[in-house]
Structure formats: C-alpha cells, structure tokens
C-alpha cells in the first residue's frame, strides 16, 4: 500500500476502522476510570478529500461519503456518533476534511473530560509528523516523532494500568510486516497483558493474512477477536478486498457491537461491480483465540 494515507483517507477501510475505534473508546470510558490511549501510527491527523491524492483515487466517494448519504436512523450508536463527529470536524476545519485516527482519539478525550483519558500519537516519518503536530496541536493528545516498534514497549505499562493501543501500519511488505507485528504483540503482552490492542490490517493477500492468523494462534495469547469486512471475494484481483482488525482483550460484548456495526455498513461499502458475497464472507466477527 502507498505510505501516503492521503490516497486512501475516508475509504471503506477507514470507515470500518474508525467506527470500531469509536466503539472501543466508548466502551473503555463506561467504567469512568482513567485510561491510556495510543495511536502508534498517527499519520498526519487530518486529510483533505479535495487534495490531488484523494481525487486521484476517489476512494472516499465509495467510503465515508456513502455513510454520510445513507439513512442511519436505525444504525448502531457508534455509526451515528461517527457521522455526527465528522460533521463536527467539518464545521471546525473545512467541509472536505476527513479525520485520521489520532483525531478520533483526541476528540473522544475532549468529549469525555470526566473520564481522564491520557492520549498520545506516534509518527516516525518526519513530514507526516510535522503535519500531525501542526494540525492537532490544540487537541488533548501528545504528539511524538517516534517509531512504533521502539515506542510501544517503552511506554507500557502505563501509569493508568488500563488502556488501548491502536496499531495501523502501512503494510508496505505484508509478509515481513505481519511477522514483525506478531513479535511486537508477544513482547507487549509480556509487559502489559491486560492492555487492549487493536491491530488493523488490509485483506488483499489472503495467503499472508491466513499465515498471520496461524502465527497469532501459536503465540498463546488469549482473547483474540477478529473483525473482518470484505467488499470483494478473495479471488478477485483488486487493490483491497477487505479490511480487518485483530483486537486483543476487547471490552465485554464488544464482539456483538462489532458484528452489528459491520453488518450495517458492509452493504453501503460494497461496490456496484462487486459480486454479491454470502453474509458469512462479507462480515465475520469471530474469536481467533478465546479465553
């Protein structure tokens, strides 16, 4: 995938990832106790859907725009909140903005001051870090020019004891990246076994994805939940067939909420030229490893 997320901002994978992130943060906050939230790959924080990159791919038209145009009166709460928050962001910045993951975390912190969430974002690439630091400097999130593989082990366990780490790298070399991520998760779980880890990944090379699943099963880590949304069958050669999140230690009943969210948004995200998928292939929320 192209490292510059500006080409993909607001696509169907972003929609799924950010709505699930909203759901995770909301459930983390229900206890009313402080927690730590880290976005390990912050990107630039805000993206313009009128940029040359976004207009070149047009991916947002088949992603966030479809959610904004849809009737969401019967949608899960996290979907409705996602739409409301995007509208708020566009009133604050401009009507073409799409917020990246650090904004969603910072926005949650701002909306829930009584919970006392300490938020941070890492970005290693200098140009992206500069943009992230400039665009989100007024929001309640610490911005650091730091590599995720070095930074995550260094900041855990957090003083709050509770927390969530979002890991969504660009996957420029899938097989290599998946292997490194498995090793990272094993190391972090050793240091902070009660943390919530949300790992986003693309579904395009099914062999790489299935090998990743096998490796995660072998780690001995418990409570691994898989959330998958597919818009094309695996045997169709397109840029991105689907999107997934592996969530370790998800909050209670998160799997039910995730299933409702993905079942609602999948029909909206499916391209007109895509073959219709059986529901079991279009959306899958299942335990890779249970308790």
């Amino acid at each position: 995938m192209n490292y510059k997320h500006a080409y993909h901002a607001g696509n169907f994978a972003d929609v799924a990832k950010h709505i699930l992130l909203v759901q995770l943060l909301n459930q983390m906050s229900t206890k009313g106790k402080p927690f730590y939230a880290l976005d390990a790959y912050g990107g630039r924080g805000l993206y313009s859907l009128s940029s040359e990159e976004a207009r070149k791919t047009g991916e947002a038209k088949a992603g966030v725009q479809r959610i904004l145009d849809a009737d969401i009166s019967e949608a899960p709460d996290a979907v409705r909140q996602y739409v409301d928050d995007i509208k708020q962001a566009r009133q604050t910045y401009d009507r073409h903005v799409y917020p990246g993951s650090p904004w969603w975390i910072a926005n949650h912190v701002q909306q829930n001051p009584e919970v006392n969430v300490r938020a941070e974002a890492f970005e290693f690439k200098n140009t992206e870090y500069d943009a992230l630091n400039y665009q989100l400097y007024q929001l309640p999130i610490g911005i650091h020019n730091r590599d995720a593989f070095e930074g995550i082990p260094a900041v855990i366990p957090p003083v709050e004891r509770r927390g969530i780490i979002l890991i969504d790298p660009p996957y420029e070399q899938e097989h290599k990246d998946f292997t490194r991520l498995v090793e990272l998760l094993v190391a972090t779980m050793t240091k902070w076994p009660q943390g919530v880890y949300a790992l986003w990944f693309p579904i395009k090379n099914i062999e790489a994805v299935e090998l990743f699943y096998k490796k995660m099963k072998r780690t001995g880590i418990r409570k691994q939940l898989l959330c998958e949304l597919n818009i094309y069958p695996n045997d169709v050669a397109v840029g991105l067939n689907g999107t997934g999140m592996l969530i370790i230690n998800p909050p209670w009943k998160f799997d039910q909420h995730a299933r409702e969210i993905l079942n609602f948004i999948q029909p909206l995200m499916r391209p007109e030229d895509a073959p219709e998928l059986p529901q079991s292939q279009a959306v899958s929320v299942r335990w890779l490893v249970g308790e």
Side-chain angles (χ1 to χ4, degrees):
M1 296 182 72
N2 191 302
Y3 183 86
K4 289 188 70 176
H5 190 64
Y7 287 99
H8 312 293
N11 70 357
F12 79 93
D14 259 3
V15 171
K17 175 175 66 177
H18 291 146
I19 297 176
L20 291 177
L21 177 61
V22 167
Q23 181 65 40
L24 279 169
L25 291 168
N26 286 345
Q27 289 191 243
M28 292 285 291
S29 291
T30 54
K31 289 187 176 181
K33 297 179 180 179
F35 68 90
Y36 175 64
L38 169 65
D39 185 343
Y41 289 85
R44 55 180 44 231
L46 297 170
Y47 300 89
S48 173
L49 299 185
S50 64
S51 69
E52 181 180 348
E53 296 96 334
R55 286 188 286 107
K56 185 175 181 179
T57 63
E59 291 184 17
K61 292 180 181 178
V64 62
Q65 193 57 49
R66 290 190 176 181
I67 293 288
L68 295 176
D69 293 341
D71 176 6
I72 60 168
S73 58
E74 302 297 323
D77 290 346
V79 175
R80 295 201 302 274
Q81 181 180 336
Y82 170 83
V83 170
D84 288 343
D85 288 351
I86 286 179
K87 291 178 180 178
Q88 173 201 319
R90 291 184 171 184
Q91 289 177 354
T92 303
Y93 303 105
D94 68 69
R95 62 191 180 93
H96 299 294
V97 77
Y98 184 80
S101 302
W103 183 91
W104 291 99
I105 293 173
N107 182 60
H108 180 85
V109 176
Q110 202 164 47
Q111 290 181 347
N112 298 274
E114 72 284 355
V115 180
N116 191 19
V117 182
R118 180 170 64 93
E120 293 186 310
F122 295 164
E123 177 50 51
F124 184 63
K125 190 173 177 65
N126 290 334
T127 54
E128 299 295 287
Y129 163 76
D130 289 342
L132 177 64
N133 195 37
Y134 173 75
Q135 296 193 119
L136 299 192
Y137 79 96
Q138 291 182 315
L139 295 181
I141 185 168
I143 310 297
H144 306 279
N145 191 189
R146 199 165 191 177
D147 174 63
F149 285 88
E150 172 275 325
I152 293 174
V155 299
I156 61 170
V159 294
E160 295 85 356
R161 298 177 64 183
R162 301 174 66 236
I164 177 172
I165 295 180
L166 174 66
I167 306 171
D168 57 342
Y171 293 93
E172 293 173 306
Q173 295 177 293
E174 282 176 272
H175 281 284
K176 181 179 179 181
D177 291 334
F178 275 130
T179 298
R180 293 186 70 204
L181 289 165
V182 172
E183 294 169 353
L184 175 66
L185 288 171
V186 169
T188 54
M189 283 293 291
T190 301
K191 290 192 67 176
W192 188 35
Q194 69 269 42
V196 177
Y197 301 87
L199 173 66
W200 174 85
F201 57 92
I203 300 175
K204 57 176 182 172
N205 181 340
I206 194 61
E207 291 182 0
V209 172
E210 289 180 345
L211 181 59
F212 165 62
Y213 292 170
K214 289 178 182 178
K215 288 181 177 179
M216 284 304 303
K217 280 185 177 181
R218 296 186 191 125
T219 62
I221 296 172
R222 314 304 297 176
K223 297 182 182 178
Q224 298 187 44
L225 181 71
L226 280 176
C227 302
E228 300 175 351
L229 181 150
N230 291 294
I231 59 172
Y232 284 100
N234 291 327
D235 58 357
V236 175
V238 292
L240 193 61
N241 299 70
T243 180
M245 286 191 78
L246 173 72
I247 301 163
I248 299 173
N249 295 329
W252 186 56
K253 290 189 176 181
F254 175 80
D255 56 331
Q256 297 178 24
H257 292 293
R259 192 172 292 110
E260 292 171 0
I261 289 166
L262 297 183
N263 280 334
F264 180 85
I265 67 174
Q266 196 277 342
L268 298 174
M269 302 291 98
R270 188 172 70 86
E272 294 178 1
D273 66 342
E276 192 159 350
L277 290 167
Q279 189 61 23
S280 60
Q281 294 180 28
V283 169
S284 177
V285 177
R286 65 190 189 278
W287 290 96
L288 182 66
V289 182
E291 295 197 36

